[in-house]
Short mmCIF file of all heavy atoms in Angstrom, two decimals:
data_model
loop_
_atom_site.label_atom_id
_atom_site.label_comp_id
_atom_site.label_asym_id
_atom_site.label_seq_id
_atom_site.Cartn_x
_atom_site.Cartn_y
_atom_site.Cartn_z
N MET A 1 84.06 107.01 99.84
CA MET A 1 85.48 106.70 99.46
C MET A 1 85.95 105.49 100.33
O MET A 1 85.78 105.50 101.42
CB MET A 1 86.32 107.90 99.94
CG MET A 1 87.83 107.79 99.52
SD MET A 1 88.87 109.23 99.95
CE MET A 1 88.19 110.38 98.87
N SER A 2 86.51 104.52 99.66
CA SER A 2 87.13 103.32 100.19
C SER A 2 88.23 103.60 101.06
O SER A 2 88.98 104.67 100.84
CB SER A 2 87.31 102.36 99.11
OG SER A 2 88.55 102.60 98.50
N TRP A 3 88.64 102.76 102.03
CA TRP A 3 89.83 102.85 102.78
C TRP A 3 91.06 102.89 101.85
O TRP A 3 91.88 103.80 102.00
CB TRP A 3 89.93 101.74 103.65
CG TRP A 3 91.32 101.71 104.60
CD1 TRP A 3 92.13 100.74 104.55
CD2 TRP A 3 91.70 102.79 105.42
NE1 TRP A 3 93.33 101.08 105.30
CE2 TRP A 3 93.12 102.35 105.85
CE3 TRP A 3 91.29 104.08 105.78
CZ2 TRP A 3 93.85 103.15 106.79
CZ3 TRP A 3 92.16 104.87 106.49
CH2 TRP A 3 93.37 104.37 107.04
N LYS A 4 91.25 102.08 100.90
CA LYS A 4 92.23 102.00 99.89
C LYS A 4 92.38 103.41 99.21
O LYS A 4 93.46 103.99 99.16
CB LYS A 4 92.02 100.99 98.94
CG LYS A 4 93.15 100.87 97.93
CD LYS A 4 92.92 99.73 96.97
CE LYS A 4 94.06 99.58 95.91
NZ LYS A 4 93.90 98.58 94.95
N ASP A 5 91.31 104.07 98.77
CA ASP A 5 91.31 105.36 98.05
C ASP A 5 91.67 106.44 99.15
O ASP A 5 92.37 107.23 98.68
CB ASP A 5 89.95 105.62 97.43
CG ASP A 5 89.62 104.66 96.22
OD1 ASP A 5 90.59 104.03 95.67
OD2 ASP A 5 88.33 104.58 95.93
N LEU A 6 91.23 106.34 100.20
CA LEU A 6 91.56 107.30 101.20
C LEU A 6 93.01 107.39 101.53
O LEU A 6 93.73 108.35 101.67
CB LEU A 6 90.68 107.13 102.45
CG LEU A 6 90.93 108.27 103.58
CD1 LEU A 6 90.69 109.72 103.07
CD2 LEU A 6 90.27 107.98 104.77
N ARG A 7 93.66 106.14 101.63
CA ARG A 7 94.90 105.99 101.92
C ARG A 7 95.84 106.81 100.83
O ARG A 7 96.71 107.45 101.16
CB ARG A 7 95.48 104.59 102.06
CG ARG A 7 95.18 103.88 103.35
CD ARG A 7 95.65 102.39 103.34
NE ARG A 7 97.13 102.42 103.09
CZ ARG A 7 98.01 102.27 104.14
NH1 ARG A 7 97.52 102.07 105.44
NH2 ARG A 7 99.24 102.26 103.88
N ALA A 8 95.49 106.49 99.57
CA ALA A 8 96.18 107.06 98.43
C ALA A 8 95.97 108.50 98.47
O ALA A 8 96.95 109.35 98.22
CB ALA A 8 95.70 106.52 97.19
N HIS A 9 94.81 109.01 98.83
CA HIS A 9 94.52 110.50 98.95
C HIS A 9 95.31 111.11 99.90
O HIS A 9 95.94 112.21 99.76
CB HIS A 9 93.08 110.69 99.30
CG HIS A 9 92.40 112.05 99.15
ND1 HIS A 9 92.49 112.76 98.02
CD2 HIS A 9 91.99 112.75 100.10
CE1 HIS A 9 91.91 113.89 98.17
NE2 HIS A 9 91.65 113.96 99.45
N ILE A 10 95.47 110.58 101.14
CA ILE A 10 96.32 111.17 102.19
C ILE A 10 97.66 111.06 101.81
O ILE A 10 98.45 111.98 102.20
CB ILE A 10 96.08 110.21 103.51
CG1 ILE A 10 94.60 110.34 104.06
CG2 ILE A 10 97.07 110.68 104.61
CD1 ILE A 10 94.19 111.79 104.49
N GLU A 11 98.28 109.90 101.19
CA GLU A 11 99.66 109.99 100.74
C GLU A 11 99.99 111.17 99.89
O GLU A 11 101.08 111.66 99.97
CB GLU A 11 99.95 108.74 100.11
CG GLU A 11 99.95 107.51 101.16
CD GLU A 11 100.01 106.16 100.37
OE1 GLU A 11 100.24 106.08 99.22
OE2 GLU A 11 99.81 105.11 101.14
N LEU A 12 99.06 111.53 98.95
CA LEU A 12 99.26 112.66 98.08
C LEU A 12 99.07 114.08 98.69
O LEU A 12 99.83 114.94 98.41
CB LEU A 12 98.27 112.57 96.92
CG LEU A 12 98.49 111.49 95.90
CD1 LEU A 12 97.25 111.41 94.82
CD2 LEU A 12 99.70 111.57 95.25
N LEU A 13 98.25 114.10 99.66
CA LEU A 13 97.93 115.38 100.29
C LEU A 13 98.90 115.93 101.35
O LEU A 13 99.13 117.07 101.63
CB LEU A 13 96.47 115.42 100.98
CG LEU A 13 95.23 115.54 100.02
CD1 LEU A 13 93.94 115.40 100.81
CD2 LEU A 13 95.23 116.80 99.23
N ASN A 14 99.40 114.96 102.02
CA ASN A 14 100.42 115.25 103.16
C ASN A 14 101.62 115.91 102.74
O ASN A 14 102.28 115.37 101.93
CB ASN A 14 100.69 113.96 103.93
CG ASN A 14 101.23 114.17 105.30
OD1 ASN A 14 100.83 115.25 105.84
ND2 ASN A 14 101.98 113.29 105.92
N ALA A 15 101.72 117.11 103.11
CA ALA A 15 102.93 117.98 102.54
C ALA A 15 103.34 118.89 103.68
O ALA A 15 102.56 119.14 104.63
CB ALA A 15 102.47 118.75 101.37
N PRO A 16 104.48 119.55 103.63
CA PRO A 16 105.00 120.46 104.83
C PRO A 16 103.99 121.65 105.03
O PRO A 16 103.92 121.91 106.14
CB PRO A 16 106.35 120.96 104.10
CG PRO A 16 106.75 119.93 103.24
CD PRO A 16 105.53 119.37 102.51
N ASP A 17 103.26 121.99 104.03
CA ASP A 17 102.35 123.08 104.32
C ASP A 17 100.91 122.57 104.48
O ASP A 17 99.98 123.39 104.61
CB ASP A 17 102.30 124.24 103.07
CG ASP A 17 101.90 123.54 101.77
OD1 ASP A 17 102.01 122.28 101.66
OD2 ASP A 17 101.63 124.36 100.88
N HIS A 18 100.69 121.33 104.50
CA HIS A 18 99.41 120.71 104.84
C HIS A 18 99.63 119.41 105.62
O HIS A 18 99.53 118.28 105.07
CB HIS A 18 98.73 120.42 103.48
CG HIS A 18 97.27 120.05 103.50
ND1 HIS A 18 96.21 120.98 103.62
CD2 HIS A 18 96.63 118.73 103.56
CE1 HIS A 18 95.08 120.35 103.79
NE2 HIS A 18 95.33 119.03 103.71
N GLN A 19 100.25 119.45 106.68
CA GLN A 19 100.68 118.26 107.47
C GLN A 19 99.49 117.57 108.10
O GLN A 19 98.87 118.24 108.97
CB GLN A 19 101.75 118.65 108.57
CG GLN A 19 102.32 117.63 109.36
CD GLN A 19 103.29 116.77 108.34
OE1 GLN A 19 103.96 117.25 107.55
NE2 GLN A 19 103.18 115.39 108.58
N ILE A 20 99.29 116.40 107.73
CA ILE A 20 98.22 115.59 108.27
C ILE A 20 98.74 114.76 109.41
O ILE A 20 99.73 114.01 109.18
CB ILE A 20 97.44 114.68 107.20
CG1 ILE A 20 96.95 115.60 106.08
CG2 ILE A 20 96.44 113.82 107.79
CD1 ILE A 20 96.60 114.84 104.86
N VAL A 21 98.10 114.75 110.57
CA VAL A 21 98.68 113.99 111.76
C VAL A 21 97.64 112.72 112.03
O VAL A 21 98.20 111.80 112.48
CB VAL A 21 98.65 114.85 112.98
CG1 VAL A 21 99.71 115.97 112.74
CG2 VAL A 21 97.27 115.55 113.25
N THR A 22 96.42 112.96 111.69
CA THR A 22 95.53 111.67 112.00
C THR A 22 94.49 111.68 110.91
O THR A 22 93.91 112.72 110.48
CB THR A 22 94.74 112.02 113.39
OG1 THR A 22 95.69 112.05 114.35
CG2 THR A 22 94.00 110.77 113.63
N VAL A 23 94.14 110.43 110.55
CA VAL A 23 92.96 110.22 109.57
C VAL A 23 92.07 109.25 110.20
O VAL A 23 92.46 108.31 110.89
CB VAL A 23 93.46 109.71 108.14
CG1 VAL A 23 94.24 108.28 108.33
CG2 VAL A 23 92.36 109.70 107.15
N TRP A 24 90.72 109.39 109.94
CA TRP A 24 89.64 108.44 110.42
C TRP A 24 88.86 107.94 109.25
O TRP A 24 88.70 108.65 108.23
CB TRP A 24 88.64 109.22 111.28
CG TRP A 24 89.09 109.61 112.64
CD1 TRP A 24 89.04 108.93 113.80
CD2 TRP A 24 89.87 110.76 113.09
NE1 TRP A 24 89.69 109.57 114.78
CE2 TRP A 24 90.09 110.72 114.37
CE3 TRP A 24 90.38 111.94 112.20
CZ2 TRP A 24 90.77 111.81 115.07
CZ3 TRP A 24 90.98 112.90 113.01
CH2 TRP A 24 91.34 112.78 114.43
N HIS A 25 88.45 106.66 109.23
CA HIS A 25 87.67 106.03 108.20
C HIS A 25 87.02 104.82 109.02
O HIS A 25 87.55 104.20 109.79
CB HIS A 25 88.54 105.56 107.11
CG HIS A 25 87.78 105.10 105.93
ND1 HIS A 25 87.27 103.80 105.88
CD2 HIS A 25 87.41 105.76 104.76
CE1 HIS A 25 86.68 103.68 104.70
NE2 HIS A 25 86.59 104.81 104.06
N PRO A 26 85.77 104.57 108.51
CA PRO A 26 85.02 103.44 109.13
C PRO A 26 85.67 102.10 108.99
O PRO A 26 85.63 101.20 109.81
CB PRO A 26 83.63 103.47 108.44
CG PRO A 26 83.43 104.82 107.84
CD PRO A 26 84.88 105.31 107.62
N ASP A 27 86.49 101.91 107.90
CA ASP A 27 87.24 100.71 107.60
C ASP A 27 88.66 100.74 107.80
O ASP A 27 89.41 100.04 107.15
CB ASP A 27 86.89 100.16 106.19
CG ASP A 27 85.44 99.93 105.99
OD1 ASP A 27 84.81 99.42 106.86
OD2 ASP A 27 84.94 100.28 104.89
N ALA A 28 89.19 101.76 108.62
CA ALA A 28 90.57 101.83 108.78
C ALA A 28 91.26 100.69 109.16
O ALA A 28 90.71 99.91 110.10
CB ALA A 28 90.86 103.01 109.81
N ALA A 29 92.46 100.41 108.53
CA ALA A 29 93.17 99.18 108.92
C ALA A 29 94.61 99.64 109.25
O ALA A 29 95.23 100.26 108.46
CB ALA A 29 93.16 98.18 107.86
N GLY A 30 95.13 99.18 110.32
CA GLY A 30 96.56 99.47 110.65
C GLY A 30 96.54 100.72 111.54
O GLY A 30 95.61 101.45 111.64
N GLU A 31 97.75 100.93 112.12
CA GLU A 31 97.84 102.20 112.96
C GLU A 31 98.41 103.33 112.27
O GLU A 31 98.15 104.46 112.77
CB GLU A 31 98.78 101.82 114.16
CG GLU A 31 98.22 100.76 115.09
CD GLU A 31 98.95 100.59 116.30
OE1 GLU A 31 99.77 101.42 116.58
OE2 GLU A 31 98.99 99.44 116.85
N PHE A 32 99.11 103.21 111.19
CA PHE A 32 99.75 104.42 110.56
C PHE A 32 99.72 104.16 108.89
O PHE A 32 99.71 103.15 108.38
CB PHE A 32 101.29 104.47 110.92
CG PHE A 32 101.36 104.73 112.41
CD1 PHE A 32 101.72 103.66 113.31
CD2 PHE A 32 101.29 106.10 112.84
CE1 PHE A 32 101.88 103.98 114.59
CE2 PHE A 32 101.49 106.31 114.20
CZ PHE A 32 101.68 105.39 115.12
N ILE A 33 99.74 105.34 108.37
CA ILE A 33 99.91 105.47 106.86
C ILE A 33 101.28 106.13 106.69
O ILE A 33 101.48 107.24 107.17
CB ILE A 33 98.74 106.29 106.26
CG1 ILE A 33 97.40 105.66 106.40
CG2 ILE A 33 99.09 106.39 104.71
CD1 ILE A 33 96.28 106.60 105.93
N ALA A 34 102.19 105.44 106.05
CA ALA A 34 103.52 105.94 105.75
C ALA A 34 103.50 106.90 104.66
O ALA A 34 102.87 106.48 103.64
CB ALA A 34 104.43 104.91 105.54
N THR A 35 103.90 108.22 104.74
CA THR A 35 103.96 109.15 103.57
C THR A 35 105.36 109.71 103.51
O THR A 35 106.15 109.54 104.40
CB THR A 35 102.88 110.24 103.81
OG1 THR A 35 103.47 111.17 104.83
CG2 THR A 35 101.54 109.73 104.31
N GLY A 36 105.59 110.34 102.52
CA GLY A 36 106.88 111.12 102.29
C GLY A 36 107.14 112.04 103.29
O GLY A 36 108.29 112.63 103.58
N GLN A 37 106.04 112.55 104.06
CA GLN A 37 106.33 113.59 105.05
C GLN A 37 106.26 113.01 106.44
O GLN A 37 106.11 113.75 107.47
CB GLN A 37 105.12 114.64 104.84
CG GLN A 37 105.29 115.28 103.53
CD GLN A 37 106.52 116.08 103.46
OE1 GLN A 37 107.12 116.77 104.30
NE2 GLN A 37 107.05 115.89 102.12
N GLY A 38 106.22 111.71 106.56
CA GLY A 38 106.08 111.01 107.93
C GLY A 38 104.87 110.19 108.07
O GLY A 38 104.06 110.21 107.10
N ASN A 39 104.67 109.60 109.18
CA ASN A 39 103.53 108.73 109.35
C ASN A 39 102.33 109.51 109.72
O ASN A 39 102.41 110.51 110.47
CB ASN A 39 103.82 107.76 110.52
CG ASN A 39 104.86 106.81 110.03
OD1 ASN A 39 105.04 106.48 108.88
ND2 ASN A 39 105.69 106.13 110.91
N VAL A 40 101.05 109.11 109.32
CA VAL A 40 99.92 109.61 109.66
C VAL A 40 99.06 108.52 110.52
O VAL A 40 98.89 107.40 109.90
CB VAL A 40 99.12 109.99 108.48
CG1 VAL A 40 97.66 110.51 108.84
CG2 VAL A 40 99.77 111.07 107.64
N ARG A 41 98.70 108.91 111.76
CA ARG A 41 97.89 107.81 112.46
C ARG A 41 96.54 107.69 111.88
O ARG A 41 95.96 108.57 111.33
CB ARG A 41 97.80 108.41 113.90
CG ARG A 41 96.99 107.57 114.89
CD ARG A 41 96.98 108.02 116.25
NE ARG A 41 96.63 109.53 116.17
CZ ARG A 41 96.43 110.23 117.35
NH1 ARG A 41 96.64 109.67 118.50
NH2 ARG A 41 96.07 111.49 117.23
N ALA A 42 96.17 106.36 111.96
CA ALA A 42 94.82 105.94 111.31
C ALA A 42 93.92 105.38 112.33
O ALA A 42 94.30 104.43 113.12
CB ALA A 42 95.15 104.88 110.14
N MET A 43 92.79 105.87 112.37
CA MET A 43 91.73 105.41 113.36
C MET A 43 90.40 105.20 112.87
O MET A 43 90.08 105.77 111.82
CB MET A 43 91.60 106.43 114.53
CG MET A 43 93.09 106.77 115.17
SD MET A 43 92.93 107.97 116.52
CE MET A 43 92.15 107.07 117.78
N VAL A 44 89.62 104.33 113.47
CA VAL A 44 88.30 103.95 113.06
C VAL A 44 87.39 105.19 113.35
O VAL A 44 87.36 105.67 114.49
CB VAL A 44 87.77 102.64 113.58
CG1 VAL A 44 86.41 102.39 113.21
CG2 VAL A 44 88.71 101.58 113.07
N GLY A 45 86.51 105.63 112.47
CA GLY A 45 85.51 106.70 112.76
C GLY A 45 84.94 107.32 111.47
O GLY A 45 85.23 106.69 110.34
N ASP A 46 84.31 108.27 111.52
CA ASP A 46 83.80 109.06 110.34
C ASP A 46 85.01 109.48 109.49
O ASP A 46 85.90 110.01 109.97
CB ASP A 46 82.84 110.18 110.64
CG ASP A 46 81.53 109.72 111.36
OD1 ASP A 46 81.08 108.53 111.18
OD2 ASP A 46 80.96 110.49 112.09
N ALA A 47 84.79 109.35 108.16
CA ALA A 47 85.89 109.86 107.29
C ALA A 47 86.19 111.25 107.25
O ALA A 47 85.35 112.14 107.01
CB ALA A 47 85.46 109.54 105.73
N ARG A 48 87.43 111.60 107.90
CA ARG A 48 87.92 112.91 107.99
C ARG A 48 89.39 112.86 108.36
O ARG A 48 89.91 111.86 108.58
CB ARG A 48 87.23 113.70 109.11
CG ARG A 48 87.42 113.18 110.39
CD ARG A 48 86.66 113.97 111.46
NE ARG A 48 86.83 113.47 112.79
CZ ARG A 48 86.67 114.21 113.87
NH1 ARG A 48 86.14 115.37 113.84
NH2 ARG A 48 86.80 113.65 114.97
N TYR A 49 90.13 113.95 108.34
CA TYR A 49 91.52 113.96 108.83
C TYR A 49 91.69 115.26 109.60
O TYR A 49 90.99 116.30 109.54
CB TYR A 49 92.42 113.72 107.71
CG TYR A 49 92.61 114.83 106.56
CD1 TYR A 49 93.29 115.93 106.70
CD2 TYR A 49 91.89 114.56 105.37
CE1 TYR A 49 93.35 116.85 105.68
CE2 TYR A 49 91.88 115.58 104.40
CZ TYR A 49 92.67 116.67 104.51
OH TYR A 49 92.82 117.55 103.42
N GLN A 50 92.79 115.30 110.38
CA GLN A 50 93.16 116.41 111.12
C GLN A 50 94.57 116.88 110.82
O GLN A 50 95.41 116.07 110.59
CB GLN A 50 93.11 116.11 112.63
CG GLN A 50 93.38 117.24 113.53
CD GLN A 50 93.31 116.89 114.93
OE1 GLN A 50 93.47 115.80 115.40
NE2 GLN A 50 93.10 117.90 115.90
N LEU A 51 94.67 118.23 110.53
CA LEU A 51 95.95 118.85 110.33
C LEU A 51 96.80 119.11 111.65
O LEU A 51 96.18 119.28 112.76
CB LEU A 51 95.68 120.13 109.50
CG LEU A 51 95.09 119.90 108.13
CD1 LEU A 51 94.74 121.29 107.63
CD2 LEU A 51 95.96 119.17 107.19
N SER A 52 98.05 119.28 111.52
CA SER A 52 98.87 119.76 112.69
C SER A 52 98.46 121.01 113.26
O SER A 52 98.67 121.31 114.48
CB SER A 52 100.37 119.74 112.20
OG SER A 52 100.50 120.79 111.27
N SER A 53 97.73 121.82 112.57
CA SER A 53 97.13 123.13 113.12
C SER A 53 96.03 122.82 113.97
O SER A 53 95.59 123.74 114.74
CB SER A 53 96.72 123.97 111.97
OG SER A 53 95.62 123.38 111.23
N GLY A 54 95.50 121.53 114.03
CA GLY A 54 94.33 121.18 114.83
C GLY A 54 92.94 121.24 114.05
O GLY A 54 92.01 120.79 114.53
N ASP A 55 92.99 121.74 112.74
CA ASP A 55 91.81 121.87 112.04
C ASP A 55 91.45 120.46 111.43
O ASP A 55 92.28 119.69 111.20
CB ASP A 55 92.02 122.77 110.70
CG ASP A 55 92.27 124.17 111.12
OD1 ASP A 55 91.70 124.70 112.22
OD2 ASP A 55 92.99 124.94 110.40
N PHE A 56 90.03 120.20 111.35
CA PHE A 56 89.54 118.97 110.86
C PHE A 56 89.15 119.36 109.35
O PHE A 56 88.55 120.36 109.12
CB PHE A 56 88.43 118.47 111.63
CG PHE A 56 88.87 117.91 112.93
CD1 PHE A 56 88.92 118.84 114.07
CD2 PHE A 56 89.29 116.73 113.12
CE1 PHE A 56 89.31 118.23 115.35
CE2 PHE A 56 89.64 116.11 114.34
CZ PHE A 56 89.64 116.93 115.40
N VAL A 57 89.27 118.17 108.59
CA VAL A 57 88.77 118.31 107.23
C VAL A 57 87.88 117.16 106.98
O VAL A 57 88.42 115.88 107.00
CB VAL A 57 89.99 118.25 106.16
CG1 VAL A 57 89.35 118.19 104.68
CG2 VAL A 57 90.95 119.47 106.32
N GLU A 58 86.57 117.32 106.74
CA GLU A 58 85.62 116.31 106.55
C GLU A 58 85.78 115.84 105.09
O GLU A 58 85.94 116.64 104.25
CB GLU A 58 84.20 116.87 106.74
CG GLU A 58 83.98 117.39 108.22
CD GLU A 58 84.13 116.48 109.30
OE1 GLU A 58 83.74 115.23 109.10
OE2 GLU A 58 84.58 116.73 110.30
N LEU A 59 85.54 114.46 104.98
CA LEU A 59 85.62 113.86 103.61
C LEU A 59 84.38 113.26 103.15
O LEU A 59 83.56 112.87 103.88
CB LEU A 59 86.66 112.82 103.63
CG LEU A 59 88.17 113.24 103.95
CD1 LEU A 59 89.05 112.12 104.10
CD2 LEU A 59 88.60 114.07 102.83
#
């Protein structure tokens, strides 16, 4: 999944009952992804994201 596609995916998935706090991608650009539920921190690494519960979701 490209960085652009992952950004769009995160923007759609971030919701009050699925709050994403951090996303990683090998080509991450910028520090945050703005979503309707607030900002998600973006970092370079293997493609995955972390929920506010602490759980990780591999992509």
Side-chain angles (χ1 to χ4, degrees):
M1 180 180 296
S2 72
W3 173 239
K4 181 180 176 181
D5 290 342
L6 181 57
R7 283 183 61 100
H9 189 64
I10 294 299
E11 290 170 8
L12 291 173
L13 286 178
N14 201 23
D17 62 344
H18 191 84
Q19 186 67 42
I20 301 169
V21 294
T22 306
V23 62
W24 288 265
H25 188 275
D27 300 321
E31 292 188 26
F32 296 98
I33 299 172
T35 75
Q37 299 300 315
N39 292 333
V40 175
R41 181 173 49 177
M43 302 181 72
V44 174
D46 293 335
R48 66 181 182 161
Y49 63 86
Q50 184 178 23
L51 298 171
S52 61
S53 65
D55 294 328
F56 288 91
V57 178
E58 301 296 326
L59 298 170

